Amino acid sequence: MTVTVIHSVELFDGHKARSGAVVVFDSDSGKITSVSTGSSSDQYPQGATIIDGTGHTLLPGLIESHMHCYNLHLTPGSDESTILTSPLKSGITTVCDMHSDLASVQKWRKAIAEEVAQARQAGGTVTLSDLKTSLYGATIEGGWPKPIVLAGHPSEEAIEMVKQWPSLTPETAADYVKNHKANGANYIKLMQENCCSLAIPTNSIPVASLELQTAVVNAAHENGLPCVGHALSSDMTEIVLKAGADGLTHTFVDQPLPQNILDLYKKTGAFVIPTLTVLASLTAELQDWRERFADLAHKKGVVDDATKQNMVEVLGMKDPAAKLEYAIDTVAKLKKEGIDIVAGTDAVAGLKGTGVGPSLWMELELYTEKCGFTVTEALNSATAVTAKRFGFTDRGEVAEGKRADLVLVKGNVTERLQNLWEGEGIVGVWKEGLKAS
């Protein structure tokens, strides 16, 4: 058993901060064996690797709750391994895919499992974040996200992929969910979009009905799976909430928060993944933010040249009335009303304005700088609250018995969030107790 002890560290355990903590974990079980304060060195396990955490903060591995693991937006010859290596370098030990094909998911999960097994056997390191997934979302014939995936000059691969998407009806919802669960889906995703927030004519694509979405949600819950839903407008959000979904995978940009939507959030207890990062790309706002985080990530070796360039470009495909301000104000008001905010970006390799990994840094800073979050509230949205709302009971906290998914950062992150990416930033990442390279 290879035991590691990190002592004298500022600890954010997923909920709150405490000073002078001692965290012990081992790479064989991949678990945290103890969390305490003030232990003396003569109490440390014999033969353990000892790390002095003075002047550092230890966090749970961050969870990116909205990304996509497919490679269809990448240019030919691009390094697709960055889809899971960049987030791990960013302190993200778990990514949540929100609409990808089974083959891509299986490929990544095989690579993840083989890497962990080899690292345990040979005492090596890991490079890939863990992967959770919805597999394909609950699509309908011709519906969302066909317009975005086939925008511009789609590849033959993208065209063929769209042909494989589900074409659900209320009658087929139960089988869809059952098959997804059998294939390893961790949650189910709805698609509810009429394009009214986009530079695409409203109702120019088929729109899912409340009857269908309710059938999918009920089937998901009957199978013990959370169910979340895409919506970029308030009217589509209303349908997802009325269907009984556990959360929204975006907030909306078409108007300020209406009272009926706030009431539905409070009535249903649903959470929201704001994805302000991708919404800023959609509305072509916050260019200085994109440039700053792209430059930071590139200088730290987190992203390559192509990803840096992609991060500073924009989707720029909003309806003229849509504003990022509406989304920011909605998140601030929902948070103030006690609605759970779960951190996620909708980053996709090759999707303009995003970079899987460092986009979450930008997302968290938007919460603290624009939405009224404290630093610990922002960190909580990417750790314990995400794990709780998705039912990931083994991670998201630094506590005895949890996965040893840990991030060590120079400086006090709970006092200054930017320490996570500025200066020395992240100096160590462990996934299941295994050091990341």
Side-chain angles (χ1 to χ4, degrees):
M1 180 173 69
T2 303
V3 177
T4 300
V5 177
I6 303 177
H7 69 85
S8 308
V9 73
E10 186 74 23
L11 175 67
F12 175 74
D13 64 8
H15 302 278
K16 61 183 180 181
R18 51 176 143 157
S19 300
V22 181
V23 178
V24 183
F25 58 95
D26 76 79
S27 60
D28 289 342
S29 69
K31 304 288 186 183
I32 297 169
T33 56
S34 69
V35 180
S36 59
T37 54
S39 298
S40 62
S41 59
D42 58 7
Q43 296 175 304
Y44 300 158
Q46 188 173 3
T49 298
I50 310 297
I51 299 174
D52 185 349
T54 303
H56 295 73
T57 306
L58 190 67
L59 314 167
L62 303 179
I63 303 173
E64 159 65 277
S65 69
H66 188 160
M67 56 81 71
H68 299 267
C69 72
Y70 57 77
N71 62 6
L72 294 180
H73 295 302
L74 287 174
T75 56
S78 297
D79 180 9
E80 69 172 32
S81 70
T82 59
I83 293 170
L84 292 188
T85 59
S86 289
L88 195 62
K89 290 177 182 178
S90 304
I92 299 166
T93 51
T94 302
V95 294
C96 297
D97 169 70
M98 284 290 172
H99 179 70
S100 287
D101 59 290
L102 178 60
S104 293
V105 170
Q106 289 179 330
K107 176 190 70 176
W108 284 121
R109 285 184 163 173
K110 183 174 183 288
I112 292 165
E114 289 177 348
E115 182 181 67
V116 167
Q118 184 174 358
R120 285 225 168 93
Q121 183 177 15
T125 58
V126 293
T127 64
L128 305 173
S129 295
D130 199 24
L131 175 64
K132 301 289 188 179
T133 185
S134 65
L135 298 176
Y136 278 144
T139 52
I140 61 174
E141 183 67 34
W144 189 263
K146 182 178 179 180
I148 191 74
V149 172
L150 298 185
H153 303 283
S155 65
E156 288 298 323
E157 186 180 5
I159 294 169
E160 288 303 311
M161 185 186 80
V162 169
K163 292 178 182 178
Q164 304 305 314
W165 289 355
S167 297
L168 287 183
T169 66
E171 294 73 28
T172 60
D175 284 342
Y176 157 81
V177 171
K178 182 179 179 180
N179 290 337
H180 266 36
K181 182 177 181 179
N183 282 322
N186 304 103
Y187 40 84
I188 299 297
K189 185 185 180 186
L190 310 177
M191 297 293 188
Q192 189 66 44
E193 184 59 64
N194 64 0
C195 300
C196 76
S197 296
L198 306 171
I200 301 171
T202 301
N203 294 321
S204 59
I205 62 171
V207 180
S209 66
L210 176 60
E211 179 188 12
L212 170 61
Q213 305 297 42
T214 302
V216 176
V217 172
N218 289 343
H221 291 166
E222 287 168 5
N223 282 274
L225 297 176
C227 188
V228 295
H230 163 103
L232 292 175
S233 60
S234 57
D235 56 348
M236 297 292 96
T237 297
E238 181 177 6
I239 291 176
V240 173
L241 290 170
K242 285 184 174 180
D246 299 283
L248 273 294
T249 62
H250 300 279
T251 192
F252 45 85
V253 292
D254 64 316
Q255 62 174 289
L257 176 64
Q259 186 63 43
N260 71 307
I261 299 297
L262 174 59
D263 291 344
L264 277 169
Y265 266 110
K266 295 169 74 171
K267 178 181 178 180
T268 62
F271 62 87
V272 63
I273 305 171
T275 67
L276 298 179
T277 303
V278 83
L279 295 179
S281 176
L282 177 73
T283 63
E285 298 174 75
L286 301 183
Q287 182 63 21
D288 56 334
W289 285 63
R290 275 186 294 278
E291 291 175 358
R292 177 161 57 92
F293 281 98
D295 188 57
L296 276 165
H298 188 257
K299 286 180 177 178
K300 289 181 174 293
V302 173
V303 300
D304 57 19
D305 293 344
T307 303
K308 177 186 177 183
Q309 180 59 37
N310 186 74
M311 287 179 68
V312 301
E313 296 180 3
V314 295
L315 290 168
M317 55 178 296
K318 75 176 186 74
D319 178 84
K323 296 179 182 179
L324 182 65
E325 175 188 353
Y326 295 148
I328 288 171
D329 289 349
T330 292
V331 173
K333 290 175 181 176
L334 290 175
K335 179 255 180 188
K336 188 175 181 180
E337 292 290 335
I339 304 304
D340 281 338
I341 310 299
V342 174
T345 68
D346 197 14
V348 190
L351 183 67
K352 292 180 179 181
T354 72
V356 186
S359 281
L360 189 64
W361 296 345
M362 176 173 161
E363 187 81 16
L364 294 177
E365 188 171 88
L366 283 168
Y367 298 167
T368 59
E369 298 300 310
K370 301 285 189 181
C371 301
F373 285 54
T374 65
V375 173
T376 54
E377 286 171 340
L379 292 172
N380 179 248
S381 75
T383 55
V385 70
T386 308
K388 178 182 177 182
R389 294 310 306 249
F390 277 93
F392 304 155
T393 58
D394 61 344
R395 67 196 71 194
E397 300 173 279
V398 181
E400 183 177 342
K402 299 290 185 179
R403 278 172 55 123
D405 291 352
L406 301 165
V407 182
L408 186 65
V409 183
K410 180 69 172 179
N412 191 330
V413 179
T414 62
E415 292 183 353
R416 185 174 183 273
L417 178 64
Q418 291 79 6
N419 286 332
L420 184 61
W421 53 79
E422 292 181 356
E424 289 189 47
I426 295 169
V427 297
V429 178
W430 293 262
K431 190 185 77 170
E432 290 191 82
L434 298 165
K435 191 77 164 62
S437 58

